């Protein structure tokens, strides 16, 4: 069974940083594009960015560009979301997802973690 487990969420003040981790098991990690999403109460699930299978290409959405960075360590079956200069509007549950192709919408991903809560105080 494929399992993705996020960690690293918590409470942080505005302007602070967090690094989220997503550890995968039950799959050949290097075959999968890894995506990051977030969802706040009352809002749709929002695509943040993705990283290619080997890690040679990354993409983040304009609204987090310059603050969020995606990386991966295939030897550790782990993807990362580095979040800097956090704002209260970043408060949400953050999810990692895996797919052999990837994309920018949640329906394109086959596997999901259970999420980790990020709360940014003002």
């Amino acid at each position: 069974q494929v399992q993705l487990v996020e960690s690293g969420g918590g409470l942080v003040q505005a302007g602070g940083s967090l690094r989220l981790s997503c550890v995968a098991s039950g799959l050949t990690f290097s075959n999968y594009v890894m995506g990051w999403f977030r969802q706040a109460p009352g809002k749709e699930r929002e695509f943040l960015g993705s990283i290619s299978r080997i890690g040679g290409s990354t993409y983040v959405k304009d609204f987090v560009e310059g603050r969020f960075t995606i990386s991966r360590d295939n030897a550790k079956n782990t993807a990362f979301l580095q979040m800097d200069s956090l704002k209260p509007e970043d408060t949400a549950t953050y999810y990692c997802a895996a797919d052999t192709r990837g994309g920018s919408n949640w329906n394109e991903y086959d596997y999901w973690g259970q999420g980790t809560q990020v709360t940014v105080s003002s």
Side-chain angles (χ1 to χ4, degrees), residues 12-79:
V12 64
Q13 289 186 312
S17 297
L18 288 172
R19 189 184 75 161
L20 307 184
S21 298
C22 173
V23 179
S25 59
L27 53 75
T28 301
F29 188 65
S30 61
N31 287 345
Y32 287 83
V33 174
M34 299 298 298
W36 285 95
F37 295 77
R38 69 185 181 189
Q39 188 164 26
K43 298 183 179 179
E44 295 184 344
R45 200 177 314 177
E46 186 175 46
F47 175 68
L48 300 173
S50 61
I51 185 165
S52 62
R53 297 162 188 83
I54 307 302
S57 180
T58 59
Y59 172 77
V60 295
K61 294 289 287 187
D62 290 347
F63 59 84
V64 295
E65 195 277 331
R67 299 191 299 120
F68 290 11
T69 304
I70 296 170
S71 60
R72 68 193 294 164
D73 184 345
N74 284 1
K76 296 181 171 64
N77 281 18
T78 304

Side-chain angles (χ1 to χ4, degrees), residues 75-121:
K76 296 181 171 64
N77 281 18
T78 304
F80 303 96
L81 178 65
Q82 177 68 42
M83 308 166 64
D84 298 321
S85 301
L86 284 161
K87 305 174 181 179
E89 68 184 80
D90 296 319
T91 295
T93 301
Y94 283 71
Y95 300 90
C96 66
D99 191 79
T100 55
R101 295 190 66 200
S104 61
N105 68 281
W106 65 271
N107 284 328
E108 295 177 277
Y109 287 83
D110 288 333
Y111 304 111
W112 291 83
Q114 293 190 340
T116 186
Q117 178 67 36
V118 171
T119 302
V120 184
S121 64

